[in-house]
mmCIF file with all atom_site columns, all heavy atoms in Angstrom:
data_model
loop_
_atom_site.group_PDB
_atom_site.id
_atom_site.type_symbol
_atom_site.label_atom_id
_atom_site.label_alt_id
_atom_site.label_comp_id
_atom_site.label_asym_id
_atom_site.label_entity_id
_atom_site.label_seq_id
_atom_site.pdbx_PDB_ins_code
_atom_site.Cartn_x
_atom_site.Cartn_y
_atom_site.Cartn_z
_atom_site.occupancy
_atom_site.B_iso_or_equiv
_atom_site.pdbx_formal_charge
_atom_site.auth_seq_id
_atom_site.auth_comp_id
_atom_site.auth_asym_id
_atom_site.auth_atom_id
_atom_site.pdbx_PDB_model_num
ATOM 1  N N   . GLN A 1 22 ? -112.267 114.821 90.462 1.00 98.00 ? 22 GLN A N   1
ATOM 2  C CA  . GLN A 1 22 ? -111.110 114.546 89.627 1.00 98.00 ? 22 GLN A CA  1
ATOM 3  C C   . GLN A 1 22 ? -111.563 114.011 88.288 1.00 98.00 ? 22 GLN A C   1
ATOM 4  O O   . GLN A 1 22 ? -111.059 114.402 87.221 1.00 98.00 ? 22 GLN A O   1
ATOM 5  C CB  . GLN A 1 22 ? -110.282 113.477 90.361 1.00 98.00 ? 22 GLN A CB  1
ATOM 6  C CG  . GLN A 1 22 ? -108.767 113.711 90.075 1.00 98.00 ? 22 GLN A CG  1
ATOM 7  C CD  . GLN A 1 22 ? -107.915 112.904 90.939 1.00 98.00 ? 22 GLN A CD  1
ATOM 8  O OE1 . GLN A 1 22 ? -108.296 112.106 91.742 1.00 98.00 ? 22 GLN A OE1 1
ATOM 9  N NE2 . GLN A 1 22 ? -106.634 113.008 90.813 1.00 98.00 ? 22 GLN A NE2 1
ATOM 10 N N   . VAL A 1 23 ? -112.671 113.147 88.344 1.00 98.00 ? 23 VAL A N   1
ATOM 11 C CA  . VAL A 1 23 ? -113.210 112.619 87.075 1.00 98.00 ? 23 VAL A CA  1
ATOM 12 C C   . VAL A 1 23 ? -113.692 113.725 86.153 1.00 98.00 ? 23 VAL A C   1
ATOM 13 O O   . VAL A 1 23 ? -113.386 113.902 84.941 1.00 98.00 ? 23 VAL A O   1
ATOM 14 C CB  . VAL A 1 23 ? -114.310 111.645 87.292 1.00 98.00 ? 23 VAL A CB  1
ATOM 15 C CG1 . VAL A 1 23 ? -115.139 111.366 86.075 1.00 98.00 ? 23 VAL A CG1 1
ATOM 16 C CG2 . VAL A 1 23 ? -113.740 110.324 87.915 1.00 98.00 ? 23 VAL A CG2 1
ATOM 17 N N   . LYS A 1 24 ? -114.419 114.712 86.809 1.00 98.00 ? 24 LYS A N   1
ATOM 18 C CA  . LYS A 1 24 ? -115.028 115.860 86.035 1.00 98.00 ? 24 LYS A CA  1
ATOM 19 C C   . LYS A 1 24 ? -113.868 116.730 85.474 1.00 98.00 ? 24 LYS A C   1
ATOM 20 O O   . LYS A 1 24 ? -113.894 117.186 84.301 1.00 98.00 ? 24 LYS A O   1
ATOM 21 C CB  . LYS A 1 24 ? -116.027 116.642 86.862 1.00 98.00 ? 24 LYS A CB  1
ATOM 22 C CG  . LYS A 1 24 ? -117.289 115.913 87.104 1.00 98.00 ? 24 LYS A CG  1
ATOM 23 C CD  . LYS A 1 24 ? -118.143 116.643 88.184 1.00 98.00 ? 24 LYS A CD  1
ATOM 24 C CE  . LYS A 1 24 ? -119.098 115.798 88.837 1.00 98.00 ? 24 LYS A CE  1
ATOM 25 N NZ  . LYS A 1 24 ? -119.993 115.026 87.803 1.00 98.00 ? 24 LYS A NZ  1
ATOM 26 N N   . ALA A 1 25 ? -112.760 116.959 86.287 1.00 98.00 ? 25 ALA A N   1
ATOM 27 C CA  . ALA A 1 25 ? -111.696 117.700 85.771 1.00 98.00 ? 25 ALA A CA  1
ATOM 28 C C   . ALA A 1 25 ? -110.978 117.066 84.658 1.00 98.00 ? 25 ALA A C   1
ATOM 29 O O   . ALA A 1 25 ? -110.600 117.709 83.628 1.00 98.00 ? 25 ALA A O   1
ATOM 30 C CB  . ALA A 1 25 ? -110.692 117.978 86.936 1.00 98.00 ? 25 ALA A CB  1
ATOM 31 N N   . LEU A 1 26 ? -110.816 115.661 84.784 1.00 98.00 ? 26 LEU A N   1
ATOM 32 C CA  . LEU A 1 26 ? -110.254 115.015 83.621 1.00 98.00 ? 26 LEU A CA  1
ATOM 33 C C   . LEU A 1 26 ? -111.143 114.969 82.410 1.00 98.00 ? 26 LEU A C   1
ATOM 34 O O   . LEU A 1 26 ? -110.580 115.062 81.284 1.00 98.00 ? 26 LEU A O   1
ATOM 35 C CB  . LEU A 1 26 ? -110.063 113.515 84.044 1.00 98.00 ? 26 LEU A CB  1
ATOM 36 C CG  . LEU A 1 26 ? -108.832 113.179 84.987 1.00 98.00 ? 26 LEU A CG  1
ATOM 37 C CD1 . LEU A 1 26 ? -108.968 111.857 85.613 1.00 98.00 ? 26 LEU A CD1 1
ATOM 38 C CD2 . LEU A 1 26 ? -107.557 113.372 84.232 1.00 98.00 ? 26 LEU A CD2 1
ATOM 39 N N   . GLN A 1 27 ? -112.463 114.942 82.544 1.00 98.00 ? 27 GLN A N   1
ATOM 40 C CA  . GLN A 1 27 ? -113.404 115.012 81.420 1.00 98.00 ? 27 GLN A CA  1
ATOM 41 C C   . GLN A 1 27 ? -113.064 116.354 80.632 1.00 98.00 ? 27 GLN A C   1
ATOM 42 O O   . GLN A 1 27 ? -112.989 116.394 79.429 1.00 98.00 ? 27 GLN A O   1
ATOM 43 C CB  . GLN A 1 27 ? -114.817 114.933 81.794 1.00 98.00 ? 27 GLN A CB  1
ATOM 44 C CG  . GLN A 1 27 ? -115.207 113.450 82.236 1.00 98.00 ? 27 GLN A CG  1
ATOM 45 C CD  . GLN A 1 27 ? -116.628 113.419 82.756 1.00 98.00 ? 27 GLN A CD  1
ATOM 46 O OE1 . GLN A 1 27 ? -117.042 114.360 83.342 1.00 98.00 ? 27 GLN A OE1 1
ATOM 47 N NE2 . GLN A 1 27 ? -117.263 112.289 82.546 1.00 98.00 ? 27 GLN A NE2 1
ATOM 48 N N   . ILE A 1 28 ? -113.130 117.427 81.474 1.00 98.00 ? 28 ILE A N   1
ATOM 49 C CA  . ILE A 1 28 ? -112.851 118.747 80.815 1.00 98.00 ? 28 ILE A CA  1
ATOM 50 C C   . ILE A 1 28 ? -111.547 118.845 80.071 1.00 98.00 ? 28 ILE A C   1
ATOM 51 O O   . ILE A 1 28 ? -111.279 119.278 78.989 1.00 98.00 ? 28 ILE A O   1
ATOM 52 C CB  . ILE A 1 28 ? -113.002 119.863 81.876 1.00 98.00 ? 28 ILE A CB  1
ATOM 53 C CG1 . ILE A 1 28 ? -114.483 119.948 82.278 1.00 98.00 ? 28 ILE A CG1 1
ATOM 54 C CG2 . ILE A 1 28 ? -112.479 121.194 81.355 1.00 98.00 ? 28 ILE A CG2 1
ATOM 55 C CD1 . ILE A 1 28 ? -114.712 120.661 83.619 1.00 98.00 ? 28 ILE A CD1 1
ATOM 56 N N   . ALA A 1 29 ? -110.434 118.310 80.723 1.00 98.00 ? 29 ALA A N   1
ATOM 57 C CA  . ALA A 1 29 ? -109.100 118.484 80.270 1.00 98.00 ? 29 ALA A CA  1
ATOM 58 C C   . ALA A 1 29 ? -108.971 117.553 78.926 1.00 98.00 ? 29 ALA A C   1
ATOM 59 O O   . ALA A 1 29 ? -108.374 117.921 77.941 1.00 98.00 ? 29 ALA A O   1
ATOM 60 C CB  . ALA A 1 29 ? -108.113 117.912 81.313 1.00 98.00 ? 29 ALA A CB  1
ATOM 61 N N   . PHE A 1 30 ? -109.813 116.332 78.902 1.00 98.00 ? 30 PHE A N   1
ATOM 62 C CA  . PHE A 1 30 ? -109.691 115.480 77.820 1.00 98.00 ? 30 PHE A CA  1
ATOM 63 C C   . PHE A 1 30 ? -110.351 116.048 76.642 1.00 98.00 ? 30 PHE A C   1
ATOM 64 O O   . PHE A 1 30 ? -109.967 115.908 75.472 1.00 98.00 ? 30 PHE A O   1
ATOM 65 C CB  . PHE A 1 30 ? -110.268 114.011 78.126 1.00 98.00 ? 30 PHE A CB  1
ATOM 66 C CG  . PHE A 1 30 ? -110.038 113.110 77.058 1.00 98.00 ? 30 PHE A CG  1
ATOM 67 C CD1 . PHE A 1 30 ? -108.855 112.674 76.663 1.00 98.00 ? 30 PHE A CD1 1
ATOM 68 C CD2 . PHE A 1 30 ? -111.194 112.502 76.437 1.00 98.00 ? 30 PHE A CD2 1
ATOM 69 C CE1 . PHE A 1 30 ? -108.644 111.749 75.690 1.00 98.00 ? 30 PHE A CE1 1
ATOM 70 C CE2 . PHE A 1 30 ? -110.976 111.588 75.390 1.00 98.00 ? 30 PHE A CE2 1
ATOM 71 C CZ  . PHE A 1 30 ? -109.747 111.153 75.033 1.00 98.00 ? 30 PHE A CZ  1
#
Side-chain angles (χ1 to χ4, degrees):
Q22 213 167 7
V23 166
K24 288 172 200 305
L26 282 166
Q27 285 173 333
I28 289 163
F30 187 60

